[in-house]
């Protein structure tokens, strides 16, 4: 099936960092397509050439991904796409925060989401929190990707900073069979297969599978990923129908941030354990495209997703850090004696008791204050999400005033039901940083009281979200060089929260009904007088409605432990984003692809998670205005056996409004040293975890017919830690440890490939990431620390001021040097 005789989306990137590099494929085999075409909406049909799109779209194919030897999609994006960087907050390579121009798509509840992700026209941002579980995306089933910058309204909700659109393989365009295996450091091994085919009757089929396992380079950080993907389709002269199913069953240990003193002693160390996430996902999608005539194409899809997530986290109870957790009272001794539990006759204190637990047990026996006296928590969550919907569009190709015009209009309906349950079990911390649970829970009864109130962190919430959308786009080409585009989308979203514990309402109830609607416009133009020089400029708007979890955790008087509790809330406003974009691009003599661009993005009523500490307490709130602006420059050239390229991004991400937020962990907080106070944010303060400078470069050299090699270098400047939103934190070595900043870093990756000419289809490849074995950090958070310099638990570390708690900077360490060796055979 042909769409207006334009070759489908199978493109070579203009601003891609690694176009012909990295590889485990035969060199110099990638050919430029007849026309580089990108679908500018989630559904296929409106394919525009890059010189018609008023934005610097980055694209890649499955061959580009394979050449990097990347373990997963986010690894490829981090190494290959301009303005992309990663915060490894979870400490697991399949669960990173992926950032683009200062906007994030993250699997973590509590992270402000600003990127939308689509696969075959289906939005992958999950209903509960708009999070993206990157581990559910089958890398070896991806045919192509496009990173669409800006708040493109055609990509709907959550498209604030950009949209990532993924297309999967089918049997007609990906015929043949391929198997791959690899093994490497830290118990890493991986097996992949894919097979595709078609027949003369138009039937085609494709299947792929991926099994990945490793022990992990950090302590207690194993990962097991299992993915299966299948697609069957039928393609006639004018009709194309596809049915896709995908299933994933993954178990990932990611032990998160660690305090800087202990990383300096042991880079593999962890703060507490375990931190386990189990994801199971079923994905079903029916797609259809029909060419009604030479000028009209109809396309649509209907989908269903079922995602079940369970977490099990061992954490320090930070409410115990300013409590008397060592010495037993007379009532404690009596309770232990009655239960037959032995205890020392001498008084216990921090000097002779490194990891106290007896007072925790005694308080639980009395149901008095175990919520304050137990220094450990075991947090369990269970999330069930069902998501279904349908969308359709029509594309009309016609003449307007004698000029080529392409017009699109369509609509979409999406609905989801999310069920979230959370429980907290009390326990005590062990020397190996694990938690031993006891028979006491944050259930309002067995957990006793905290600050005179029943200790109750239970959550049982059902959220129902419904969205209607209508969208349109028109591109008018005046002659061959000037293209003018206008588009818009209307979204109506309703969110209904139903508290299963307090169904009848009240101050503690999460019940609520909310509705949001908005029309988001976009306009742009491109002018390309010659191949070597083109110009683009555009303006667009996007919006994001608050999600179930954000609406359930928006009260600063009742901060939440995400994803561990929520509270009744004041209403939140939806985020509105305005993006201005302009730049120049072209292909200079000597096959040099180049691009220089400027972007300016403003968020009104940005939804930020204001953190109280590194363990996750905090709340959501609207922030008046934030701004992200910057410059992007890229160069790429291929000459015979050499391929070289580079890109650079300057990002200025700032708050633009005055605001008062909680400042626990920040030395400038209003309450005093080691206490829980507030900090003032002023216009111009840098947004945390947004490096101002990003640089990526590569060199690839095919030095013989069979052998090739490549080097990739990534560099990022420093940024501020979360909790340091006012950029003013200063350590004093006593109450506050650590700078409150993420140091800049450089990582060098090296690859080698061997493609023996005497064995057709065979490839042997090796990869070494971080070949210089640098210790670096991709993120940081200010918060209280529960350990002294020797690694022993500490409570009330300042006897003269028992209310003060020592604060520290916690870091997310990047992976050390890791190598793997693999073999790929295709036939």
């Amino acid at each position: 099936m042909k769409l207006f005789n334009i070759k489908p989306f199978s493109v070579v990137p203009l601003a891609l960092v690694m176009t012909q590099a990295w590889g485990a494929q035969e060199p110099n085999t990638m050919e430029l397509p007849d026309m580089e075409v990108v679908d500018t909406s989630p559904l296929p049909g409106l394919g525009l050439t890059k010189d018609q799109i008023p934005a610097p779209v980055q694209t890649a194919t499955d061959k580009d991904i394979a050449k990097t030897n990347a373990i997963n999609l986010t690894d490829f994006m981090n190494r290959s796409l301009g303005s992309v960087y990663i915060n490894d907050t979870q400490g697991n390579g399949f669960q990173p925060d992926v950032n683009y121009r200062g906007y994030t798509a993250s699997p973590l509840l509590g992270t402000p989401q600003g990127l939308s992700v689509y696969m075959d026209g289906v939005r992958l941002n999950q209903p509960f929190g708009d999070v993206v579980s990157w581990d559910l995306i089958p890398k070896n089933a991806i045919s192509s990707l496009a990173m669409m910058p800006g708040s493109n309204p055609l990509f709907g909700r959550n498209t604030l900073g950009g949209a990532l659109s993924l297309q999967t393989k089918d049997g007609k365009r990906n015929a043949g069979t391929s198997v791959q295996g690899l093994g490497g450091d830290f118990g890493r091994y991986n097996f992949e297969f894919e097979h595709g085919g078609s027949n003369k009757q138009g039937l085609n089929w494709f299947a792929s599978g991926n099994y990945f396992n490793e022990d992990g380079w950090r302590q207690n950080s194993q990962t097991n990923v299992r993915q299966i993907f299948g697609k069957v389709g039928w393609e006639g002269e004018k009709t194309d129908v596809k049915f896709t199913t995908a299933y994933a069953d993954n178990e990932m240990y990611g032990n998160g941030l660690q305090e800087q003193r202990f990383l300096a002693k042991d880079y593999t160390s962890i703060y507490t354990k375990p931190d386990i996430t189990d994801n199971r996902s079923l994905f079903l999608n029916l797609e259809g495209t029909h060419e009604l005539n030479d000028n009209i194409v109809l396309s649509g899809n209907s989908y269903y997703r079922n995602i079940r997530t369970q977490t099990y986290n061992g954490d320090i109870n930070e409410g115990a850090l300013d409590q008397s957790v060592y010495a037993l009272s007379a009532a404690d001794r009596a309770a232990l004696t009655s239960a037959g539990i032995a205890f020392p006759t001498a008084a216990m204190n921090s000097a002779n008791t490194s990891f106290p637990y007896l007072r925790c047990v005694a308080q639980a026996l009395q149901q008095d204050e175990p919520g304050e006296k137990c220094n450990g928590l075991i947090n369990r969550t269970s999330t069930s999400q069902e998501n279904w919907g349908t969308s359709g569009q029509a594309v009309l190709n016609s003449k307007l005033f004698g000029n080529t015009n392409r017009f699109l209009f369509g609509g979409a309906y999406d609905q989801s039901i999310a069920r979230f349950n959370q429980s907290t079990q009390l326990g005590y911390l062990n020397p190996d940083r694990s938690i031993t649970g006891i028979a006491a829970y944050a259930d309002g009864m067995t957990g006793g009281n905290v600050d005179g109130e029943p200790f109750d962190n239970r959550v049982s919430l059902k959220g129902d979200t419904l969205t209607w959308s209508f969208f349109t786009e028109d591109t008018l080409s005046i002659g061959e060089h000037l293209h003018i585009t206008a588009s818009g989308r209307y979204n109506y979203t309703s969110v209904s929260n139903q508290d299963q514990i307090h169904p009848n309402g009240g101050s503690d109830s999460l019940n609520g009904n909310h509705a949001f609607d908005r029309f988001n416009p976009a306009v742009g133009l491109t002018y390309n007088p010659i191949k070597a020089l083109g110009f683009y400029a555009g303006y667009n708007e996007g919006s994001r409605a608050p999600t179930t979890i954000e609406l359930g955790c928006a009260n600063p008087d009742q901060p939440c432990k995400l994803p561990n509790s929520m509270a009744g809330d004041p209403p939140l406003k939806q985020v509105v984003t305005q993006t201005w974009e302009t730049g120049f691009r072209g292909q200079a003599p000597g096959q040099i692809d180049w691009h220089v661009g400027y972007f300016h993005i403003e968020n009104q009523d940005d939804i930020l998670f204001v953190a109280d500490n590194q363990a996750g307490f905090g709340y959501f709130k609207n922030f008046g205005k934030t701004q992200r602006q910057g410059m992007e420059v890229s160069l790429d050239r291929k000459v015979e056996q050499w391929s070289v390229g580079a890109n650079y991004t300057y990002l200025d991400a700032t708050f633009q409004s005055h605001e008062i937020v909680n400042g626990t962990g920040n030395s400038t907080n209003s309450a005093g040293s080691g206490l829980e106070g507030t900090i003032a944010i002023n216009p111009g303060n840098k947004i945390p975890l947004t490096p101002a400078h990003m640089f990526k470069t590569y060199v690839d050299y095919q030095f013989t017919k069979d052998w090739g090699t490549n080097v990739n270098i990534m560099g990022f400047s420093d940024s501020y830690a979360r909790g340091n939103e006012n950029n003013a934190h200063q350590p004093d070595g006593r109450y506050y440890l650590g700078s409150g900043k993420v140091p800049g870093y450089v990582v060098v990756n090296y690859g080698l490939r061997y493609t023996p000419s005497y064995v057709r289809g065979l490839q042997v490849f090796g990869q070494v990431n971080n070949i210089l074995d640098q210790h670096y950090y991709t993120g940081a958070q200010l918060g209280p620390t529960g350990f002294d310099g020797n690694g022993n638990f500490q409570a009330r570390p300042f006897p003269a001021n028992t209310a003060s708690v020592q604060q520290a900077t916690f870091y997310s360490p990047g992976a050390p040097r890791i190598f793997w060796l693999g073999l790929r055979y295709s036939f």
Side-chain angles (χ1 to χ4, degrees), residues 557-731:
D557 295 326
Q558 295 177 286
C560 305
K561 171 79 166 66
L562 292 176
N564 301 311
S565 66
M566 290 178 285
D569 61 276
L572 292 172
K573 302 175 183 178
Q574 63 178 332
V575 186
V576 176
T577 301
Q578 299 173 310
T579 301
W580 293 262
E581 190 124 30
T582 188
F584 297 89
R585 59 194 174 192
Q587 187 176 81
Q591 294 182 317
I592 300 175
D593 291 324
W594 64 275
H595 164 247
V596 178
Y598 169 77
F599 60 90
H600 181 97
I601 311 172
E602 293 183 359
N603 278 18
Q604 299 285 347
D605 296 317
D606 211 350
I607 297 177
L608 301 180
F609 182 69
V610 181
D612 282 339
N613 53 55
Q614 62 84 24
F617 278 98
Y619 58 93
F620 292 99
K621 71 174 299 179
N622 285 117
F623 191 95
K625 182 179 176 181
T626 61
Q627 176 180 281
R628 296 155 180 87
Q629 62 180 348
M631 295 284 296
E632 296 171 327
V633 181
S634 68
L635 293 170
D636 182 78
R637 187 187 187 196
K638 179 183 178 297
V639 180
E640 297 179 350
Q641 287 78 30
W642 289 89
S643 294
V644 295
N647 69 31
Y648 166 78
T649 300
Y650 170 71
L651 174 63
D652 179 34
T654 57
F655 298 104
Q656 292 295 310
S657 299
H658 295 279
E659 191 60 77
I660 302 295
V661 298
N662 285 358
T664 301
N666 193 306
S667 64
T668 64
N669 82 83
S670 60
S673 297
L675 299 175
E676 297 183 6
T678 61
I679 58 174
I681 298 176
N682 296 308
N685 287 152
K686 301 289 186 181
I687 297 175
L689 303 186
T690 54
H693 304 280
M694 290 171 265
F695 177 76
K696 301 178 184 180
T697 185
Y698 75 89
V699 176
D700 183 273
Y701 178 49
Q702 187 72 27
F703 53 87
T704 72
K705 181 179 180 181
D706 296 342
W707 289 90
T709 188
N710 58 75
V711 176
N712 159 243
I713 302 174
M714 302 184 299
F716 303 89
S717 62
D718 60 6
S719 60
Y720 290 99
R722 284 181 178 149
N724 194 12
E725 282 79 7
N726 65 349
N727 309 162
H729 170 79
Q730 294 293 329

Side-chain angles (χ1 to χ4, degrees), residues 45 112 248 304:
Y304 172 80

Side-chain angles (χ1 to χ4, degrees), residues 75 85 173-174 636 725 811:
D75 182 25
Y85 61 99
R173 296 165 185 81
N174 302 96
D636 182 78
E725 282 79 7
Y811 290 104

Side-chain angles (χ1 to χ4, degrees), residues 164 169 310 356 523 747:
L164 176 67
K169 298 176 181 178
Q310 293 185 325
V523 293
V747 174

